[in-house]
Amino acid sequence: LCSSPSNRSRPLSCVAVCGGTHGNEMSGIYLAKHWLRDPMELQRSSFAVTPFLGNPRAIEKCVRYVGQDLNRTFTTEFLSSTEAEDEPYEVVLAREINQTYGPKGSAQAFDFMFDLHNTTASMGTCLIVDSEESLLPMHMCHYIQMHYTRSPCPIYLYKLPGEETYSINSVAKAGLALELGPQPQQVVRADLFSQMRDIIACALDFIELFNKGTVFPAFEIEAYKITGRMDYPCYPDGEISAMVHPKLQDKDFLPLNPRDPIFQTFSGEEILYEGNTTIYPAFINEAAYYEKKVAFVKMEKHMFSIPGLQRD
Amino acid sequence: MTSCYVVHEAPVRRVAIFGGTHGNELSGVFLVKHWQENGDEIQRTGLEVRPFITNPRAVKKCTRYIDCDLNRVFDPDNLGRQITEDIPYEVRRAQEINHVFGPKNSNDAYDLIFDLHNTTSNMGGTLILENSRNNFTIQMFNYIKNALAPECCPVFLIEHPNLKYATTRSIAKHPVGVEVGPQPQGVLRADILDKMRKIIKHGLDFVHIFNEGKEFPPCTIEIYKIMEKVDYPRNKNGEITAVIHPSLQDQDWQPLNNGDPIFLTVDGETINYEGDCTVYPTFVNEAAYYEKKQAFVKTVKVKLTAKGIRSSLS
């Protein structure tokens, strides 16, 4: 009556946690395998949590993917494609995952999906949400930032305006991806493993509180929103001709100003950032982005006002 | 006047620099490709220096290897193997490399081969020595260590009665491994590349000075000698049940004593090191060694002395 009205949302009953969407990002793979053997620590009283392995064949081979990037395959184009003999393994897999945890955009879809990733970039414990308009995930991020205090958890909003969602957790009604780094591909580091585990525990606690009727008031929150991608300089034959500048290396989420160095050629020349405004880079020198020629992702830092939230 | 402690060594005229022996270790791949286009910085008077990509197909795919590890097949069996349809790509490639830069153990072999590698382990810029009696190489390592000081440049001796590596560089009279980390596979870091580049610069400078007739007096260097490989704890299905303990992670070349933690299980249980003597672990948590069942390598610190050397034709 006197307080500003909160948005109301139905309680979550079905939650999935996916490790190994990329088969060489080991924190999530080791965690999901552990939870498949012993799911006890995932249990909460008000909802069910299903751990699963996203890309079993890629995990088996310890590669990112077999045919194509699974985490770019959850678009209408692929999900509605008809079976073909020569289609990539991940397209088949995406349809199966969509059957089990979706269908995407339907009432039967899982309420929430966590997706566990690692990066070779120094992104720390980064939380990835599609956009600031995703209310429940934004509240979850806020809760994690308040309660998981071992390391800062920057929020990365990954969806470009007008872009269709394509990630595995877009199959569920809402989702959150964790992106922990730096960790080399194929390597499991104990520190990142336990950080990821603790963040998931914290996020599950949030869902439990939400389901039980806790009112989460409105808040202001800082988040980084993607604006574009920066390609590597290349030779005419397509091979990269410069590397990430040592002054930019490991500086994810820190301001990058016009005329700051971003690349260094093999002859030692510097290439400067030509933009007009300060940006915030992330995924700096991510191994998997070389094939996409992406040196880093460009972001802007914004404050967002997130309305309150409570269970319906 | 030449002292009686000095041995005369043949001058080193033909040098190769190998990159891409493992196709996803990018410092060497990009340095070698750069030097193939613009090799001024690796040229020295009186020396032929040849930069060479050893596993081009693995480089193209940015993977360690296609069929098998190229850096383990330079043994007589594989080098003498009959070429058939189903022979692994790397064995065929090893024979080609041996033909161009070897033959191994022959007079025609290249004098010196630097083989450029990266590791995900925190090994810094490490020099790998294959033979504890190779005066020339030990002298070179001593020179490089001094040139890089105060920065640390550990020397890793892989001579062992049972562990035989059969490395790509082993076809040269003087094989030199350069292992720089930490760097993830498929990633190129400017700082790591720079470290590798400096090692090669000083190595070539040494060869040049040696060829010009400078005498190098006897020297003693501290090195880490391989003892044994240590596997991860595993369950009966062979799956890893514990990871490198946080207090061992990134601690390559640091002393490890009886009772120190080495692994941490998923349930949070610490597994400690049991051993009588202090060891110095290295290749701690190297990505490529999970499949080789190797969590780290134990080494011991020893001192190695090289005789004085002087080029025989100066």
Side-chain angles (χ1 to χ4, degrees):
Chain A
L1 208 74
C2 52
S3 69
S4 66
S6 288
N7 283 22
R8 289 184 174 264
S9 185
R10 289 163 55 97
L12 310 185
S13 55
C14 290
V15 174
V17 190
C18 177
T21 297
H22 295 133
N24 54 11
E25 298 178 4
M26 304 312 287
S27 305
I29 295 169
Y30 273 73
L31 273 174
K33 282 186 174 175
H34 171 62
W35 290 329
L36 286 166
R37 276 190 298 264
D38 181 6
M40 195 139 79
E41 72 188 66
L42 295 178
Q43 283 170 15
R44 299 292 185 279
S45 65
S46 66
F47 60 103
V49 184
T50 310
F52 74 104
L53 294 171
N55 195 334
R57 261 198 227 171
I59 293 167
E60 176 81 16
K61 296 175 82 169
C62 206
V63 294
R64 184 173 172 88
Y65 57 79
V66 179
Q68 70 178 50
D69 191 336
L70 177 63
N71 213 29
R72 304 289 183 275
T73 308
F74 293 87
T75 56
T76 316
E77 183 201 340
F78 290 118
L79 295 180
S80 62
S81 62
T82 45
E83 269 178 61
E85 233 174 56
D86 58 345
E87 66 189 350
Y89 166 67
E90 278 80 6
V91 174
V92 182
L93 198 54
R95 281 199 301 261
E96 284 172 15
I97 291 168
N98 191 44
Q99 280 307 307
T100 311
Y101 301 98
K104 181 172 174 172
S106 77
Q108 302 101 283
F110 264 57
D111 296 305
F112 201 93
M113 189 187 289
F114 294 100
D115 188 23
L116 308 180
H117 289 266
N118 292 116
T119 171
T120 63
S122 281
M123 287 172 67
T125 46
C126 172
L127 311 175
I128 304 184
V129 178
D130 54 355
S131 94
E132 72 280 7
E133 286 162 15
S134 295
L135 188 59
L136 185 113
M138 289 304 286
H139 271 271
M140 182 183 279
C141 291
H142 186 233
Y143 183 88
I144 292 169
Q145 287 185 344
M146 310 282 282
H147 293 85
Y148 169 84
T149 48
R150 259 175 79 185
S151 52
C153 296
I155 301 166
Y156 168 47
L157 306 170
Y158 83 88
K159 201 164 85 72
L160 284 163
E163 198 180 43
E164 184 188 5
T165 56
Y166 48 72
S167 64
I168 190 168
N169 55 18
S170 69
V171 158
K173 292 187 185 108
L176 176 72
L178 304 186
E179 190 71 71
L180 270 58
Q183 181 171 270
Q185 296 175 344
Q186 305 185 17
V187 164
V188 53
R189 285 183 65 106
D191 49 359
L192 269 66
F193 178 85
S194 79
Q195 286 175 323
M196 187 175 271
R197 191 179 201 170
D198 290 352
I199 292 173
I200 289 297
C202 185
L204 295 177
D205 291 346
F206 165 80
I207 297 175
E208 180 87 336
L209 289 172
F210 169 76
N211 279 352
K212 289 188 165 171
T214 301
V215 178
F216 296 94
F219 57 88
E220 300 265 305
I221 196 165
E222 183 183 275
Y224 299 85
K225 200 170 173 66
I226 185 169
T227 59
R229 299 178 180 96
M230 177 64 77
D231 290 346
Y232 283 101
C234 285
Y235 294 116
D237 66 359
E239 184 137 291
I240 68 165
S241 60
M243 37 189 178
V244 168
H245 196 281
K247 285 183 181 152
L248 178 61
Q249 179 71 48
D250 305 324
K251 299 295 193 308
D252 302 74
F253 297 110
L254 295 174
L256 178 73
N257 297 308
R259 312 300 294 160
D260 281 350
I262 51 174
F263 297 113
Q264 187 179 58
T265 70
F266 301 108
S267 318
E269 292 141 31
E270 290 189 334
I271 297 171
L272 308 180
Y273 178 57
E274 302 282 2
N276 301 319
T277 57
T278 298
I279 58 159
Y280 296 80
F283 285 109
I284 299 170
N285 212 347
E286 158 57 37
Y289 290 176
Y290 277 73
E291 65 176 21
K292 307 179 205 276
K293 305 278 183 240
V294 172
F296 57 87
V297 164
K298 297 189 276 187
M299 306 180 298
E300 285 172 350
K301 188 160 79 168
H302 292 293
M303 288 299 286
F304 295 100
S305 293
I306 308 296
L309 174 71
Q310 72 179 102
R311 197 194 66 190
D312 211 359
Chain B
M1 196 183 87
T2 302
S3 108
C4 56
Y5 298 105
V6 166
V7 290
H8 290 263
E9 294 257 351
V12 167
R13 298 291 183 202
R14 292 197 305 162
V15 178
I17 305 175
F18 286 174
T21 292
H22 296 132
N24 54 10
E25 298 176 7
L26 296 190
S27 305
V29 170
F30 278 88
L31 274 175
V32 164
K33 283 184 176 178
H34 174 69
W35 290 330
Q36 284 175 334
E37 295 301 315
N38 184 351
D40 291 353
E41 76 182 87
I42 53 167
Q43 297 313 321
R44 301 287 185 280
T45 309
L47 269 189
E48 174 209 323
V49 183
R50 184 160 172 201
F52 187 78
I53 295 287
T54 42
N55 195 336
R57 278 178 61 186
V59 167
K60 189 141 213 285
K61 287 184 75 176
C62 197
T63 176
R64 184 173 173 91
Y65 55 76
I66 303 291
D67 295 322
C68 64
D69 191 336
L70 177 66
N71 212 29
R72 300 289 185 275
V73 292
F74 287 78
D75 55 283
D77 281 357
N78 278 307
L79 292 178
R81 213 161 135 182
Q82 191 80 36
I83 297 284
T84 55
E85 281 266 312
D86 56 351
I87 198 170
Y89 166 70
E90 277 80 6
V91 171
R92 201 164 359 120
R93 187 69 187 151
Q95 295 189 3
E96 290 167 13
I97 294 166
N98 190 45
H99 184 72
V100 177
F101 297 95
K104 185 169 174 170
N105 298 322
S106 80
N107 266 333
D108 292 338
Y110 263 55
D111 296 312
L112 170 63
I113 294 175
F114 294 101
D115 194 16
L116 307 183
H117 289 264
N118 292 119
T119 171
T120 63
S121 308
N122 190 23
M123 288 170 66
T126 293
L127 296 168
I128 303 182
L129 180 67
E130 304 219 344
N131 180 340
S132 61
R133 285 162 304 168
N134 187 319
N135 293 309
F136 175 84
T137 310
I138 297 167
Q139 287 283 0
M140 179 197 286
F141 288 6
N142 183 50
Y143 179 91
I144 296 173
K145 278 168 86 73
N146 288 331
L148 289 172
E151 194 173 336
C152 201
C153 179
V155 174
F156 179 33
L157 173 64
I158 59 169
E159 195 175 56
H160 191 281
N162 311 119
L163 304 171
K164 300 285 185 216
Y165 280 88
T167 59
T168 310
R169 58 189 174 266
S170 68
I171 54 179
K173 290 168 190 148
H174 307 296
V176 172
V178 180
E179 187 78 65
V180 190
Q183 180 172 271
Q185 297 176 344
V187 165
L188 187 60
R189 285 184 66 105
D191 52 354
I192 298 288
L193 182 127
D194 184 59
K195 206 172 262 197
M196 185 177 274
R197 200 172 202 163
K198 283 190 177 125
I199 289 173
I200 295 301
K201 177 209 175 312
H202 296 309
L204 293 173
D205 286 348
F206 170 83
V207 177
H208 182 227
I209 301 168
F210 166 78
N211 281 347
E212 286 198 327
K214 182 179 160 62
E215 182 179 311
F216 293 88
C219 69
T220 299
I221 59 172
E222 193 172 74
I223 61 115
Y224 299 89
K225 184 178 163 64
I226 188 167
M227 298 298 292
E228 62 174 327
K229 301 168 178 176
V230 179
D231 189 15
Y232 293 94
R234 291 175 191 269
N235 64 20
K236 55 183 185 305
N237 300 326
E239 292 166 325
I240 291 171
T241 55
V243 300
I244 294 286
H245 195 279
S247 59
L248 177 60
Q249 179 71 48
D250 305 324
Q251 301 305 309
D252 302 71
W253 310 122
Q254 300 303 313
L256 182 73
N257 294 304
N258 187 36
D260 287 346
I262 49 175
F263 295 114
L264 184 65
T265 71
V266 175
D267 301 316
E269 187 194 329
T270 294
I271 298 170
N272 295 322
Y273 174 64
E274 289 172 27
D276 300 331
C277 64
T278 300
V279 294
Y280 296 81
T282 194
F283 279 115
V284 177
N285 212 348
E286 158 57 38
Y289 289 175
Y290 280 74
E291 68 173 24
K292 294 187 197 287
K293 301 197 184 313
Q294 192 177 320
F296 61 91
V297 175
K298 291 199 285 189
T299 74
V300 285
K301 222 194 265 200
V302 292
K303 286 202 160 60
L304 206 57
T305 297
K307 291 178 177 153
I309 60 166
R310 183 172 181 162
S311 171
S312 52
L313 290 178
S314 59

